[in-house]
């Protein structure tokens, strides 16, 4: 489970299916943002396009209507950026937790499997 803004979502960065959905949605988000900026449109058009890309990202990764739960004002780039950065922070924390758990297990495993020194 992943918690963002106090809301729990059925998403796990250690699950390959969830991770693949995230990777594909993130690639699409980046492309949409690059395309919006390359169009040389007015700032309002670029912001609106980026907000729509963020909506597509969250609804794809966390499920339909996830975006509506996370962003109260869909046309606000600040709220959209906050939601993305909250997601990135949750990802970073999840990876740190996994790495710490793995390190602890490896240390314990190594302690019991390390080659014993022979006395001469």
């Amino acid at each position: 489970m992943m918690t963002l803004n106090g809301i729990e979502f059925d998403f796990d960065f250690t699950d390959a299916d969830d991770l693949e959905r995230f990777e594909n949605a993130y690639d699409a988000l980046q492309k949409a943002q690059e395309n919006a900026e390359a169009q040389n449109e007015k700032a309002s058009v670029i912001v609106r396009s980026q907000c729509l890309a963020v909506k597509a990202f969250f609804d794809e990764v966390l499920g339909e209507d996830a975006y509506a739960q996370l962003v109260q004002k869909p046309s606000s780039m600040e709220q959209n950026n906050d939601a993305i950065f909250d997601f990135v922070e949750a990802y970073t924390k999840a990876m740190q937790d996994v790495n710490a758990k793995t390190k602890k297990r490896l240390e314990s495993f190594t302690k019991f499997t390390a080659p014993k020194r022979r006395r001469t």
Side-chain angles (χ1 to χ4, degrees), residues 1 4-5 10 13 15 18 22 25 39-42 47 58 63 71 75 79 87 89-90 92 98-99 103 116:
M1 294 304 260
L4 290 173
N5 294 340
D10 184 17
F13 281 109
D15 180 275
D18 287 352
F22 160 69
Q39 303 257 333
N40 202 20
E41 295 281 349
K42 293 190 289 185
V47 167
F58 279 114
V71 177
S75 61
Q79 285 190 18
F87 186 88
E89 287 174 4
T92 301
V98 167
N99 289 337
K103 182 180 177 183
K116 306 222 187 276

Side-chain angles (χ1 to χ4, degrees), residues 9-24:
F9 295 96
D10 184 17
F11 184 83
D12 179 1
F13 281 109
T14 64
D15 180 275
D17 293 332
D18 287 352
L19 189 56
E20 182 178 37
R21 202 169 59 251
F22 160 69
E23 291 168 338
N24 292 338

Side-chain angles (χ1 to χ4, degrees), residues 23-98:
E23 291 168 338
N24 292 338
Y26 185 76
D27 288 345
L29 175 65
Q30 284 188 310
K31 287 177 186 171
Q33 290 179 337
E34 290 168 4
N35 289 341
E37 291 170 1
Q39 303 257 333
N40 202 20
E41 295 281 349
K42 293 190 289 185
S44 61
V45 173
I46 293 171
V47 167
R48 193 172 316 282
S49 175
Q50 290 176 336
C51 291
L52 289 172
V54 171
K55 178 187 185 315
F57 170 82
F58 279 114
D59 287 348
E60 174 66 26
V61 174
L62 300 178
E64 192 174 332
D65 296 326
Y67 176 81
Q69 294 178 59
L70 296 170
V71 177
Q72 303 308 307
K73 189 174 180 187
S75 61
S76 167
M77 194 67 224
E78 181 178 15
Q79 285 190 18
N80 280 267
N81 282 340
D82 287 347
I84 287 290
F85 287 121
D86 289 346
F87 186 88
V88 169
E89 287 174 4
Y91 169 77
T92 301
K93 183 180 179 332
M95 291 299 98
Q96 289 171 341
D97 291 348
V98 167

